[in-house]
Amino acid sequence: TKYYPVKTLENLNLFALTSGRHQKVIKDETEWKFVDNSQESLLNKISTNTVSLKAFSNDRIFRGITTGANHIFIIDENIKKQIVKFDPQSKKYIHPYVEPTKINQWNTPNTKKYIIGTFPSLSLDIDKLPGLKQYLKNFKKQLDPKPKNYSGNNWEGRKPGSYKWFEIQDNIAYNRFFTEPKIIYIHTAVKHQFYFDVEGRYINNSCYMIISDSQFLFCFLNSKLFEWFKKIKFVAYGDAEESGRAKLDYNKMITVPIRKVSKSLEQLFFNLVQDIKTKKSQGKNTKTLEQMIDNLIYSLYKLSYEEVKVIDPEFPLSKEEY
């Protein structure tokens, strides 16, 4: 099969397009790849002597919370204070929350937003949490799950389900993982930023989290190598090479090839990350240190200088320096 990438429909001339250079469609056991030969060669090299992200993380990659009513379950500082003042016990189920668009690699700010974690998997008795009950009952019509036998078109509440009116929509049996060290990221973006979270923050269903304390994984996902890999392998809205928004779907993320690194290398990445954080807090330039991380990753994946230039045409080092 030959294919010709169409970058725009404006002034499209199919005859001129198909008279030009074509590319091959490569199909293996799991997917179709729309890449040229040099890209295919690089993808194969990057995948050599690696494990999948699924194996690296023990398949602990989870989507954020689907509440069915974010405007009710995501609250600000004032509402939190009112609930806790009325019932201190309710505080246990009010968690720090990260807004998806605020996720930043080096500094994800605390916006003083919170999410109410009445997960069905906890089997909570709302009568024992009067603070939450008093707040949520104000929205009971909007929160009630639609009965299965309801035939009308004007249901005010949420979709059908086994959850109770005061519970969030999804079961979230993995809720305990939110407080562990993890890497969080938004699902769809032009430029993805992965944040290493140790503050126990919660995310909604437009984000994902990888439960891992690996600083190498954090560095790899924020690297130029993964940025290139993402544009080749992931579906995008629009042209991923330009300003198309790539979707980091679970079924693709679990296949990302990850190198296993030694404890000493993991420590090296940890030291570089801490050094960058310290310098950034002091307002200092960290470009050189961040380039060092990219260089280390290129080296770990055994890329030649020419291959690095394919991934990063603006790579600042000469061949000798690299």
Side-chain angles (χ1 to χ4, degrees):
T1 303
K2 299 175 182 178
Y3 89 93
Y4 303 84
V6 177
K7 296 289 187 179
T8 175
L9 297 180
E10 192 174 338
N11 301 319
L12 180 63
N13 183 329
L14 289 176
F15 177 77
L17 180 72
T18 55
S19 299
R21 177 171 171 265
H22 70 268
Q23 294 177 226
K24 291 182 179 180
V25 178
I26 301 165
K27 186 178 187 306
D28 60 23
E29 294 80 10
T30 59
E31 63 185 346
W32 295 76
K33 298 174 185 175
F34 297 87
V35 294
D36 61 28
N37 289 336
S38 63
Q39 290 173 327
E40 171 68 3
S41 175
L42 247 177
L43 286 172
N44 288 336
K45 188 169 188 178
I46 289 167
S47 298
T48 303
N49 296 323
T50 61
V51 297
S52 67
L53 180 56
K54 181 176 183 177
F56 188 89
S57 66
N58 296 315
D59 197 19
R60 298 197 299 175
I61 305 170
F62 303 106
R63 195 160 197 172
I65 300 162
T66 299
T67 67
N70 282 351
H71 62 293
I72 297 170
F73 286 94
I74 296 171
I75 60 176
D76 60 22
E77 185 77 29
N78 287 333
I79 294 175
K80 178 195 172 185
K81 285 181 178 177
Q82 291 170 22
I83 293 171
V84 173
K85 184 178 180 181
F86 187 82
D87 170 34
Q89 179 68 16
S90 291
K91 184 178 181 180
K92 183 179 177 182
Y93 303 101
I94 300 175
H95 311 290
Y97 169 75
V98 177
E99 295 172 82
T101 56
K102 294 291 196 308
I103 295 175
N104 181 283
Q105 176 184 356
W106 297 111
N107 179 30
T108 294
N110 179 2
T111 55
K112 294 190 175 180
K113 295 278 188 179
Y114 303 89
I115 190 164
I116 294 172
T118 49
F119 309 119
S121 58
L122 296 177
S123 301
L124 297 175
D125 182 350
I126 195 64
D127 291 325
K128 293 181 179 178
L129 298 167
L132 288 178
K133 183 178 181 180
Q134 183 191 50
Y135 166 72
L136 292 172
K137 73 179 181 182
N138 294 318
F139 310 98
K140 192 173 185 303
K141 278 190 176 181
Q142 299 173 54
L143 294 175
D144 275 333
K146 185 178 179 180
K148 289 182 180 179
N149 58 355
Y150 186 83
S151 58
N153 297 317
N154 59 344
W155 183 255
E156 292 183 44
R158 293 180 286 173
K159 71 176 188 179
S162 59
Y163 59 93
K164 298 173 183 175
W165 71 268
F166 60 87
E167 295 175 330
I168 65 160
Q169 202 163 279
D170 271 10
N171 189 44
I172 311 293
Y174 51 85
N175 63 82
R176 68 189 187 281
F177 289 124
F178 280 100
T179 57
E180 293 192 17
K182 60 187 181 291
I183 298 167
I184 59 175
Y185 56 97
I186 193 169
H187 174 232
T188 307
V190 176
K191 169 66 177 171
H192 284 90
Q193 297 200 50
F194 297 79
Y195 178 67
F196 191 86
D197 177 68
V198 291
E199 296 92 17
R201 293 194 250 187
Y202 286 57
I203 51 176
N204 74 12
N205 62 347
S206 63
C207 302
Y208 278 85
M209 62 182 181
I210 303 168
I211 312 306
S212 174
D213 62 358
S214 171
Q215 295 288 341
F216 159 66
L217 180 61
F218 163 72
C219 290
F220 171 77
L221 292 172
N222 282 299
S223 71
K224 288 188 174 69
L225 177 56
F226 180 72
E227 183 73 13
W228 176 86
F229 181 89
K230 176 188 82 172
K231 290 176 181 178
I232 300 292
K233 294 279 282 186
F234 288 81
V235 175
Y237 295 113
D239 183 2
E241 295 292 336
E242 301 296 333
S243 56
R245 296 179 298 126
K247 303 191 298 175
L248 302 188
D249 293 331
Y250 168 84
N251 67 326
K252 291 280 188 180
M253 280 298 284
I254 59 175
T255 68
V256 173
I258 308 296
R259 282 266 175 183
K260 284 189 173 182
V261 298
S262 64
K263 287 185 178 180
S264 58
L265 268 174
E266 182 68 51
Q267 185 63 46
L268 177 57
F269 281 104
F270 175 83
N271 293 342
L272 283 167
V273 167
Q274 296 309 307
D275 202 4
I276 290 170
K277 286 181 176 178
T278 299
K279 283 183 165 54
K280 282 189 176 294
S281 69
Q282 297 168 347
K284 295 180 180 178
N285 190 303
T286 61
K287 190 175 181 180
T288 301
L289 287 170
E290 291 179 65
Q291 186 63 57
M292 282 177 65
I293 288 176
D294 272 325
N295 296 352
L296 266 172
I297 289 169
Y298 292 144
S299 178
L300 273 171
Y301 282 81
K302 302 188 183 305
L303 301 187
S304 68
Y305 182 75
E306 289 72 23
E307 289 166 334
V308 171
K309 291 292 281 186
V310 170
I311 289 163
D312 181 12
E314 297 180 4
F315 187 59
L317 303 185
S318 68
K319 188 171 184 177
E320 293 72 22
E321 288 171 325
Y322 177 64

